[in-house]
Amino acid sequence: MCQSVAQCHPEARIVVGISDEIDDATRQALGAWEVVGLEQLDIPDLASFTYRYGVMELSTAIKPFLFRWIFRHTDAEQVVYLDPDILMLAPMTRVFECLDAGSTAVLTPHLTARIDDGGQPDEETMLRVGAYNLGFIGLSRGALGNGLIPWWCDRLERRAVVDLENGLFTDQKWVDLVPGLFPGVHILRDPEFNVAYWNLPARRVQQVQGRWMVDDRPLCFFHFSGVDPDNTLVFSKHQNRYSPINLGEVAPLWRLYVERLQANGHAAWSACPYAHGFCRDGVPIHPAMRHYFRRFLDDAGDQRQIDPFDAYGDAYFNAIEPRLRGNRAVTRFMYGLYLHQPELQRHFDLTHDSAQRAYVHWFVESGASLYGVDERWVAASRPVDQVRGQPGLMLRHPGRWVSLQLHRLYARHPGLGQQVTRWLPPRVLAVLKGAAFHTTPSSEGPRGGGEGAAGQGHGITVVGYARGAFGVAEIARACVAAVSSQGYPVDVMAVQAGAAYQENDQTALPVVAAPGAHPFQLYCVNADQMPVVQNLLGPTNTEGRYRIGCWFWELPHFPVAWRAAFELVHELWAPSRFVQDALSRVSPRPVVHMPVAIEFAVEGVYARSSFGLPAQPFLFLFSYDFHSYTARKNPQAVLASFQRAFPPPASGVGLVIKTMYGDQYPEELAALKAGIASDPRIHLLDEAMSRDAAYGLIQVCDCYVSLHRSEGFGLGMAEAMYLGKPVIATGYSGNMDFMDAASACLVRYELTAVPEGAYPHWEGQVWAEPDLEHAVELMREIFSNPARRDSVSRQAMAAIRQSHSRERVGGMMIERLNALAAQA
């Protein structure tokens, strides 16, 4: 950042504020610029100030103090602050013009245009984090005299925390008040300033004759918030709109910035320990300790006489928490973690002795590892006889121990974790992918499938991955939408899918922290995950309810290893006849065919340019999730059929392959890229889009193709039909519930044995091998025959909207629930 500022403003005096320890290496690296440390900023009770804040909070909290120091110790009349992740490309002339004209402050808003594309962050996110981005702010000396800087220092001395639930977000949220509280504030809406992922949808960035431009103006500075030069598969970790694949003309600028970071030793600097991250006794300061400090210790009358880095370390936080009545086991550290994590407060009521014991058990056995808790806090919480007199967790609960190790692997190296876990026993994999460790109570889940609560009332709780960006999660949301559309009482118990998946969908509401009193529970999780999820809920939340499983399976024979899950439910709802047949062969429980509701509105306005796709050619589309097994999804067949149907260099036609989570399967992603590298007509989009953007992508393409070997349902195909797109698909498995020869172009196939290791529980299974020559014929026909294309499209839309509407599916669900209620 400093290098780029010096290039654009060689006349400027550059001051670098350091919130960490300033050693010789730091001074040498920043030798060309003036360095100011915390000790120079005259911050009251500096020890408490640095203890109460984490590294990001502290770095933002010192901002007004740094402005105050500069105006007090230099003759500067105007000061501009820039975040270190900014790259300046042109002089800030307009900013200084505003300050010269009498403005005391210059701010840039996050948004200057509506944002309705369904991506993140959205407008609601900006309401939570602040209207103005504080990676940039310009102040004149008048901000010291009119009270702005003193007011800001006062607020950030104690309240620069990240606490979205209570309306606080570092220094940034406070500045929402500045335009109303202080005169002379200029809101700079010019597009060339503070360009970043949050406003990029409304700004066109391009390089013209070697100069970077935005909306035909010279680009002043780009804010690369969330960019990690060690992970070049992600553009910014704070958003889901852009990846290096769809950055378009911004991609070269992003690569330039990453290269500059790497050249300046980013890896080495990132490895340096944070000076304010440890107590004097060497204990790493966990966020739970800082939260506890702010809550109970920060306002103590004698606090300024105490150095918290000395006083609040190992001995203090390993002591029993005195604020809990009757408490004999919960330490101060554990209580700080409890207060710091709202989900723990929802799950454990620590006013009760039994809940305190359950929380301690959960913390020791599994929970602590998920919050980056040092082993010293866990060891102190174990009873002495458990530490010395019993076998460790590895021997007592080997499955749980293995799952915890794998969860750590996922958190640190998700791609490697995926490769390791692909062939693990289903239950271990289920524990890894589920949310059991995040809020699991100590009690075991129910094991019987006895009588439920049918007849005790109406209402259903849908248990599933309500926020997940993958197929099973979308099914759960579809179930909620279908039932609620008919006025039937429903709530949602959200479980988490683990580090391998994005979880940012906000559709399925209302989400509850624990199941309510509804007599029915619908588990939209697969059979291998049922023990984990029921253990998550605990017997008090499952016993006495009529439990229904909505399970998916993509092969004809249901795995023997999963059959114990039948004992955890009272009946099953199969999303397709194909799944129903597989379950019915072995299930001791009733198996009811219950279709998936396909009904949605495309909220955003999409064009091909929204996805970096060419405007003119006829585009075929195929989409899949790498987690769903490439061999089953069969993308190579789609590539081969397309290139045979339209051999290069044929023009006027293209293929879009939309994938998710390819970064976690590098070898498979590399093989896919190798297959398309020589054909510029083929476009690969590997990202977890919002549901609305995924619908928009289908909307801007012309035909959907799926040459799958087997599907439990076929969500992508159903969504394409709903949007009136012709679908070319293998005529086998779950998609045949909603397809026939009139509403789809069905590809012939032969059943073949599933190859060894190609899919879990492959032994004795078969799947379809699509006839590629027939697929070639159908692709050519759909491309060249508008009448056939229109006929298939119309019938596809009519068929799916009739058979899988929310009204029909919701009515079927409620009819079944009412029948169960009447039987009791």
Side-chain angles (χ1 to χ4, degrees):
M1 185 272 288
C2 290
Q3 291 170 345
S4 67
V5 171
Q7 289 175 348
C8 295
H9 286 282
E11 79 288 355
R13 178 179 179 179
I14 297 176
V15 176
V16 180
I18 302 292
S19 59
D20 207 337
E21 185 178 80
I22 303 175
D23 56 17
D24 292 341
T26 303
R27 292 191 182 279
Q28 184 177 357
L30 297 172
W33 303 292
E34 187 172 353
V35 177
V36 175
L38 290 176
E39 295 79 6
Q40 299 170 255
L41 299 183
D42 194 25
I43 296 172
D45 191 9
L46 183 59
S48 294
F49 187 83
T50 52
Y51 193 97
R52 75 174 60 102
Y53 289 137
V55 60
M56 183 184 77
E57 295 168 333
L58 181 64
S59 297
T60 60
I62 70 171
K63 201 174 297 179
F65 296 96
L66 184 58
F67 273 109
R68 185 179 68 181
W69 184 91
I70 293 173
F71 284 126
R72 284 178 175 177
H73 293 85
T74 75
D75 59 358
E77 294 296 320
Q78 301 166 344
V79 179
V80 171
Y81 169 84
L82 296 171
D83 265 357
D85 51 6
I86 280 174
L87 182 67
M88 186 167 289
L89 298 157
M92 296 183 290
T93 305
R94 175 69 176 138
V95 174
F96 293 110
E97 288 176 350
C98 293
L99 295 172
D100 285 338
S103 297
T104 55
V106 179
L107 301 172
T108 53
H110 274 117
L111 302 179
T112 56
R114 292 175 52 184
I115 185 165
D116 299 316
D117 61 0
Q120 288 293 324
D122 57 11
E123 292 173 353
E124 292 184 5
T125 302
M126 296 310 170
L127 288 174
R128 291 192 293 270
V129 302
Y132 306 101
N133 179 260
L134 265 291
F136 160 87
I137 182 173
L139 296 180
S140 72
R141 185 172 289 273
L144 190 62
N146 74 359
L148 192 162
I149 291 176
W151 169 85
W152 204 15
C153 288
D154 177 75
R155 298 304 184 265
L156 299 194
E157 182 182 346
R158 294 178 181 272
R159 288 175 282 178
V161 294
V162 177
D163 186 3
L164 297 178
E165 290 192 357
N166 290 306
L168 296 177
F169 186 75
T170 64
D171 64 326
Q172 191 163 272
K173 187 65 176 172
W174 286 105
V175 174
D176 282 3
L177 301 177
V178 167
L181 292 177
F182 303 99
V185 178
H186 182 85
I187 309 303
L188 187 65
R189 297 169 51 87
D190 301 43
E192 61 265 37
F193 296 96
N194 218 357
V195 182
Y197 66 78
W198 53 80
N199 55 37
L200 197 54
R203 304 186 186 189
R204 184 187 179 194
V205 176
Q206 58 185 332
Q207 194 172 22
V208 180
Q209 297 180 347
R211 188 178 190 185
W212 285 100
M213 308 290 289
V214 54
D215 297 348
D216 299 321
R217 300 186 186 188
L219 171 55
C220 182
F221 61 86
F222 200 108
H223 193 164
F224 286 98
S225 176
V227 170
D228 180 0
D230 297 323
N231 183 6
T232 54
L233 298 175
V234 175
F235 168 56
S236 169
K237 64 183 179 182
H238 301 315
Q239 55 85 49
N240 65 3
R241 286 186 178 85
Y242 300 104
S243 72
I245 294 174
N246 69 352
L247 268 179
E249 295 185 84
V250 177
L253 182 59
W254 169 73
R255 287 193 293 268
L256 172 66
Y257 177 71
V258 168
E259 290 168 0
R260 289 194 180 184
L261 285 181
Q262 293 169 339
N264 277 282
H266 176 273
W269 289 108
S270 298
C272 294
Y274 175 47
H276 309 299
F278 298 87
C279 293
R280 304 279 187 255
D281 58 9
V283 171
I285 302 176
H286 190 277
M289 299 164 66
R290 299 189 195 276
H291 186 105
Y292 189 101
F293 175 79
R294 292 193 299 264
R295 179 80 170 264
F296 299 118
L297 306 172
D298 209 4
D299 292 324
D302 61 348
Q303 184 57 41
R304 292 174 185 267
Q305 308 303 317
I306 298 174
D307 183 341
F309 290 90
D310 281 327
Y312 305 129
D314 192 318
Y316 184 85
F317 276 100
N318 268 329
I320 297 299
E321 170 54 49
R323 294 172 178 82
L324 294 175
R325 184 176 181 181
N327 174 38
R328 298 180 181 180
V330 178
T331 65
R332 285 185 173 119
F333 179 89
M334 293 174 61
Y335 193 46
L337 182 67
Y338 173 83
L339 296 173
H340 184 61
Q341 299 293 339
E343 65 269 22
L344 297 181
Q345 298 168 45
R346 291 190 289 265
H347 210 75
F348 298 98
D349 181 0
L350 296 189
T351 60
H352 300 288
D353 178 69
S354 60
Q356 293 171 10
R357 292 195 303 271
Y359 177 54
V360 172
H361 179 83
W362 169 87
F363 179 86
V364 170
E365 290 290 316
S366 57
S369 66
L370 299 186
Y371 294 109
V373 173
D374 190 272
E375 171 61 23
R376 74 185 67 215
W377 308 117
V378 181
S381 301
R382 291 191 183 100
V384 173
D385 62 342
Q386 181 174 329
V387 176
R388 298 180 181 176
Q390 293 189 21
L393 178 64
M394 181 174 68
L395 297 179
R396 290 181 290 113
H397 302 294
R400 185 181 296 176
W401 182 87
V402 170
S403 296
L404 284 167
Q405 309 315 308
L406 291 173
H407 186 93
R408 296 188 186 106
L409 177 64
Y410 258 72
R412 297 172 185 171
H413 308 287
L416 178 60
Q418 278 293 310
Q419 295 300 321
V420 170
T421 58
R422 292 192 73 161
W423 313 114
L424 286 175
R427 176 157 182 164
V428 175
L429 186 57
V431 172
L432 175 65
K433 289 186 175 180
F437 299 133
H438 290 280
T439 54
T440 305
S442 61
S443 56
E444 294 295 325
R447 294 295 167 192
E451 293 301 313
Q456 296 182 7
H458 295 275
I460 187 168
T461 296
V462 176
V463 181
Y465 310 110
R467 307 303 193 200
F470 53 100
V472 176
E474 184 60 23
I475 300 304
R477 293 190 287 268
C479 290
V480 174
V483 174
S484 61
S485 72
Q486 304 306 298
Y488 194 85
V490 60
D491 59 21
V492 185
M493 174 64 186
V495 295
Q496 296 176 319
Y501 295 88
Q502 290 190 20
E503 298 191 77
N504 50 22
D505 194 288
Q506 302 297 314
T507 306
L509 297 172
V511 170
V512 296
H518 292 327
F520 299 102
Q521 293 179 342
L522 176 63
Y523 290 81
C524 293
V525 299
N526 285 334
D528 58 332
Q529 299 162 317
M530 283 296 298
V532 177
V533 172
Q534 290 209 3
N535 188 48
L536 162 66
L537 300 183
T540 58
N541 291 318
T542 57
E543 289 179 351
R545 275 79 162 190
Y546 191 89
R547 302 184 294 276
I548 304 166
C550 179
W551 298 349
F552 278 76
W553 177 242
E554 293 79 17
L555 297 178
H557 304 294
F558 191 73
V560 174
W562 295 358
R563 294 184 187 178
F566 290 126
E567 301 302 314
L568 304 179
V569 297
H570 300 92
E571 77 175 41
L572 295 161
W573 286 1
S576 68
R577 300 286 185 189
F578 181 82
V579 175
Q580 184 184 31
D581 289 344
L583 292 172
S584 296
R585 292 188 182 102
V586 294
S587 174
R589 308 295 186 201
V591 182
V592 179
H593 176 228
M594 195 66 68
V596 176
I598 303 296
E599 187 172 329
F600 55 88
V602 184
E603 302 291 344
V605 178
Y606 297 95
R608 290 186 174 181
S609 59
S610 305
F611 308 98
L613 299 174
Q616 297 303 321
F618 184 101
L619 290 181
F620 293 93
L621 170 66
F622 172 57
S623 60
Y624 72 102
D625 179 343
F626 275 90
H627 291 323
S628 297
Y629 291 84
T630 300
R632 180 174 67 83
K633 292 293 188 177
N634 205 13
Q636 298 298 336
V638 177
L639 286 173
S641 298
F642 172 79
Q643 292 181 320
R644 290 185 199 176
F646 313 102
S651 60
V653 64
L655 171 64
V656 179
I657 298 181
K658 162 66 180 70
T659 61
M660 290 195 297
Y661 307 121
D663 58 307
Q664 299 179 34
Y665 299 85
E667 293 182 3
E668 294 178 17
L669 180 61
L672 182 61
K673 288 181 177 179
I676 68 176
S678 61
D679 194 338
R681 305 170 304 165
I682 303 176
H683 310 273
L684 175 62
L685 305 176
D686 182 53
E687 59 177 304
M689 294 180 179
S690 69
R691 293 306 303 166
D692 197 68
Y695 299 149
L697 179 61
I698 297 172
Q699 199 174 54
V700 302
C701 293
D702 299 293
C703 177
Y704 191 97
V705 184
S706 176
L707 300 183
H708 57 269
R709 292 187 168 105
S710 193
E711 286 285 0
F713 178 70
L715 185 61
M717 292 174 274
E719 290 170 344
M721 291 174 64
Y722 183 87
L723 290 173
K725 301 296 177 180
V727 176
I728 299 171
T730 309
Y732 173 76
S733 63
N735 55 297
M736 295 309 294
D737 266 21
F738 51 84
M739 288 182 175
D740 58 26
S743 61
C745 300
L746 300 175
V747 178
R748 296 188 294 266
Y749 65 92
E750 290 183 0
L751 290 179
T752 61
V754 177
E756 180 178 352
Y759 204 67
H761 307 286
W762 56 271
E763 299 88 343
Q765 303 275 14
V766 296
W767 60 17
E769 196 62 48
D771 182 343
L772 298 195
E773 291 305 318
H774 190 211
V776 167
E777 294 174 14
L778 293 172
M779 293 177 84
R780 288 173 177 165
E781 180 182 21
I782 288 296
F783 172 71
S784 62
N785 189 338
R788 167 72 166 148
R789 186 165 67 235
D790 292 343
S791 174
V792 173
S793 300
R794 287 194 303 272
Q795 294 189 68
M797 180 184 288
I800 198 75
R801 293 187 178 217
Q802 178 181 0
S803 65
H804 287 67
S805 69
R806 287 180 182 172
E807 180 179 1
R808 180 174 184 269
V809 174
M812 293 173 65
M813 291 178 171
I814 294 168
E815 181 179 3
R816 176 62 181 167
L817 296 175
N818 287 341
L820 292 170
Q823 292 173 11

